[in-house]
Every structure is written in structure tokens, then in C-alpha cells.
Amino acid sequence: MKILTVIGARPQFIKAAAVSHTFAQQDGIQEVLLHTGQHFDKNMSEVFFKELGIPKPTYNLGIGGGLHGAMTGAQLVGIEEILLQEKPDWVLVYGDTNSTLAGALAAAKLHIPVAHIEAGLRSFNRRMPEEINRVVTDHISALLFAPSATAMQHLMHEGIPTEYCHQVGDVMYDAALLFGERAKQQSTILQQLNLTAGEYILTTIHRAENTDNLQRLQNILKSLSEASQTLPIIWPVHPRTRNLLQQQGLYTLLGKNVHIIEPVGYLDMVMLEQHAAVIATDSGGIQKEAFFYHIPCITLRDETEWVELVDAGWNHIVPPTNTDNITHTLLAAIQSYGTPIHPYGDGHSSSQIAKILLAQA
Ligand code: UDP
């Protein structure tokens, strides 16, 4: 079976690291990797291929940047051409980026069945570009791999045929298990940054709803500065956020205990997560990684797709509309742990996915 996998953004490289690794060990699967180029900086793309052992993509379209329509459209054109040439049996897409949508659309129009990993996630906020991408992708996919029972329920409520949908757990949990130990052995980031385990706050901010809204961004910066009087803050900054901080002259709002660094590789990120006192993020993946490593987390958004973690007390939703509330919730979350739950499978999601795909042959 020939599977053409479309990837393009940082979280997709991490998911692919777990899945492609499994495919490579599986008789009967030939995987062709197509990188759209959505994320192209060395530390947003190349580093993951190197350190996680992801095979070099056969194709790299080099299409990143620009408005959503232009980017998705250009990717659609490029992917279609390659699909016509490669004629895969399946197209595999991950998550909810423009690359996901372009890959799924190009394939569906050519009547090539689409398999969607991380299907069924919903924020019910259609202002998020990610929500549009995931809803459309789910509705044109022939195999939907849901990471949780909640995601599975959403697919059922939307009338997607049951036989298309499989609750397989979260491939990010596979990745966390696969690379968590390696991070402990190989990463020297704590020494490099002169950090003491349990005595810093880790943060990441990159969602458009925060970066493109000056008031929300300012609220986040002020509250981080406030909290950094209690513990230093480490912030590997996403290129989009860095550009906005520069353009808007917002660096002045940051206290000197907020340390902005370049995006780090996955092993260093995992190391930073595993030893943080608390994590403040608007990332989807990092909310779960905090939970995998038993680190309290606050999510700077109005809602989350990973509701199980909120219900169990691992994650706290804090809309970035009130500075004092962010600071207070962030500091109160330190050493406040949730109850034990296991909503995202047993760490063997990738093998289940391979098995289900092979059964379609
Ligand atoms: N990540 C990383 N280095 C960083 C920041 C994040 O390796 O400097 C990893 C993080 O551990 C997680 C993934 O990138 O696995 C999350 O990606 P991102 O926050 O960009 O996207 P989202 O999960 O929100 O879709």
C-alpha cells in the first residue's frame, strides 16, 4: 500500500515522527513524505527531521507565508500535481493546518481516499482558522482517527459514518513516550539556560486569536512580567509572535525576568516541559504534553479542544482578557495537580493506525 503523507508545520513533524517510524517497520506500507514548506525556518522544521529521525521528504513544495487563501491555494496546486504523478492508495494528513486542508482537498477531488489523524477535535469557534481546516478535512476523509472519546462523539454528532471513525488514542502520546526518555538523556537545555528544575515557568504563545489582537497580547505580556517576579519565565518564541512583538514595539512591556529564546528542538522542549513548575500556553500540543509529564498548565484561550484535561483539573482555561486573573491563575496552578485519567490511549496509536490502514488494502 502506498501512502502519501502531507506535512508542513511543527506539530505535524512531531506526530509524523511517531507514525512514520511505525510505518517504516511495517511490511506492506510504502510511505512517501510531502512537506508543503508551511514552516520553513531551520528551528521550525529541519531540526525535527534531524533529531527525531524522520525520513527526508521526497517532495518539498516550499510554500509558506502569505494569507490563508494564497497559501492553501498554492499548496493545493502543488499537491495535486504530485498526487497525479505518485498515484498513492491513500493520502494521510495530520491535525488542522492549511497543509492539512490542502492535502485533504487535493486528494478528495482526485478520488484518493484521505486518512485524517487527530480527527474530531472541535473548539466550536469558527473564527479559528484551525477549526475550519479540521471540520472540512473530517467531512472529506474516508478514515478518521480520533484521539479521544470526546473527539469520537463530535464525529458521531456530525453524522460521519461510524465505520469511517476509529478511536485510536493520540499519536502525540506515542511521541511523548518515544522521546521523553531520550530528552532526559540527551538534552542539556537546563544547564545551557542556567535553570533549576521546578523553579521556572515555561510559556509559548502563537495562536492568531492572541497574536493578532493587541489587547490580548498586551494582557499576556503584562501578566507574564508580573508572574516573573515570583519565578523566571522561559519563552521559546514562535516566529510569528516574535515579528508581532517587534512590529508593535511590545518588548518594552516584558520584565527582565521573562527570557525570550529562539524556538527549541523537540528534545529540548520536552526537557523544558518536564521540569517546569507550571506551563502557560495557547498551543494544543503543549497542553497535552504538560499532562503527559504531570505538569500543571494554564491555557490562554477562550476554550480548548482537550476538554478532558480541564475536567480532571490538569489544565485551566484563562481567557487573556484580564491581566490579574492570568497572573493569579498561573501562580495558583503551581503544584496543583489534577486527578489521574487516561483519555489518550496507551501509547500505541501509531500501530493501531497502521493496522487499520493495512486492513483497507
Ligand atoms: N515545540 C517545540 N519547540 C518549541 C515549541 C514547541 O518542539 O520551541 C513542540 C511542542 O513540544 C509540541 C509542538 O511543538 O510538541 C506544538 O506545536 P505548536 O505549539 O506550534 O502547535 P499546536 O500544537 O498548537 O498545533
Side-chain angles (χ1 to χ4, degrees):
M1 166 183 287
K2 190 199 257 192
I3 299 176
L4 188 138
T5 300
V6 178
I7 48 179
R10 177 168 65 187
Q12 294 166 336
F13 308 141
I14 292 157
K15 289 162 198 162
V19 176
S20 295
H21 179 76
T22 305
F23 284 177
Q25 294 172 335
Q26 195 81 46
D27 283 341
I29 294 185
Q30 180 206 350
E31 187 181 33
V32 178
L33 278 182
L34 186 164
H35 187 333
T36 61
Q38 185 171 340
H39 281 170
F40 47 84
D41 292 358
K42 206 167 172 206
N43 52 16
M44 293 294 286
S45 174
E46 195 183 314
V47 63
F48 298 100
F49 287 83
K50 276 198 179 145
E51 76 175 10
L52 306 183
I54 311 167
K56 192 174 157 36
T58 309
Y59 300 96
N60 191 327
L61 299 180
I63 301 167
L67 295 174
H68 284 278
M71 189 200 301
T72 314
Q75 290 176 351
L76 189 54
V77 173
I79 295 169
E80 185 177 60
E81 239 168 67
I82 293 166
L83 293 184
L84 286 168
Q85 215 173 292
E86 285 283 346
K87 300 189 176 44
D89 300 301
W90 283 85
V91 166
L92 179 69
V93 294
Y94 292 94
D96 53 23
T97 70
N98 290 340
S99 304
T100 315
L101 178 62
L105 257 183
K109 294 277 181 106
L110 292 172
H111 305 153
I112 301 169
V114 177
H116 184 204
I117 294 185
E118 214 177 65
L121 290 191
R122 296 291 181 267
S123 64
F124 301 102
N125 175 357
R126 291 267 170 118
R127 291 182 56 81
M128 286 178 75
E130 295 89 345
E131 183 79 352
I132 308 290
N133 292 341
R134 50 172 96 105
V135 169
V136 176
T137 301
D138 281 343
H139 283 261
I140 56 177
S141 291
L143 262 184
L144 296 94
F145 296 114
S148 64
T150 315
M152 194 72 177
Q153 273 165 19
H154 294 152
L155 297 174
M156 299 298 100
H157 285 157
E158 289 175 23
I160 297 184
T162 322
E163 62 272 24
Y164 292 8
C165 305
H166 300 266
Q167 188 185 332
V168 293
D170 186 358
V171 297
M172 285 199 89
Y173 186 39
D174 295 19
L177 295 179
L178 202 58
F179 300 109
E181 277 310 303
R182 203 191 290 177
K184 282 187 196 147
Q185 286 154 16
Q186 292 183 7
S187 171
T188 57
I189 189 88
L190 298 190
Q191 293 90 311
Q192 282 174 47
L193 299 177
N194 209 7
L195 293 171
T196 308
E199 294 187 16
Y200 62 90
I201 296 167
L202 179 66
T203 195
T204 73
I205 302 295
H206 75 287
R207 283 218 179 277
E209 69 209 55
N210 287 331
T211 56
D212 299 357
N213 180 320
L214 189 58
Q215 189 57 55
R216 286 169 83 103
L217 192 54
Q218 282 177 340
N219 290 343
I220 293 170
L221 300 182
K222 283 185 196 154
S223 59
L224 290 178
S225 295
E226 193 68 32
S228 73
Q229 291 177 19
T230 304
L231 283 179
I233 296 192
I234 302 302
W235 182 356
V237 76
H238 193 285
R240 186 175 60 218
T241 315
R242 181 187 281 283
N243 289 343
L244 277 149
L245 293 178
Q246 269 159 1
Q247 279 162 20
Q248 306 282 350
L250 293 173
Y251 276 106
T252 50
L253 288 181
L254 287 171
K256 64 177 184 340
N257 232 4
V258 180
H259 304 283
I260 292 214
I261 59 172
E262 286 298 312
V264 294
Y266 185 59
L267 298 183
D268 282 344
M269 189 62 187
V270 164
M271 190 71 179
L272 286 170
E273 289 171 348
Q274 287 173 333
H275 296 94
V278 62
I279 297 176
T281 190
D282 59 8
S283 155
I286 295 171
Q287 291 172 52
K288 283 174 299 158
E289 286 166 348
F291 161 71
F292 297 150
Y293 303 125
H294 300 120
I295 305 298
C297 181
I298 72 161
T299 295
L300 297 164
R301 286 181 48 195
D302 296 338
E303 72 280 303
T304 180
E305 298 76 15
W306 306 101
V307 290
E308 310 78 16
L309 302 182
V310 176
D311 295 343
W314 286 102
N315 189 9
H316 308 273
I317 297 294
V318 191
T321 46
N322 177 319
T323 308
D324 289 343
N325 190 31
I326 305 173
T327 316
H328 173 78
T329 318
L330 177 59
L331 296 177
I334 295 172
Q335 291 189 346
S336 135
Y337 303 101
T339 52
I341 49 167
H342 299 280
Y344 304 128
D346 59 1
H348 294 98
S349 306
S350 311
S351 310
Q352 286 196 54
I353 289 169
K355 219 160 126 195
I356 294 165
L357 274 162
L358 279 171
Q360 317 294 316

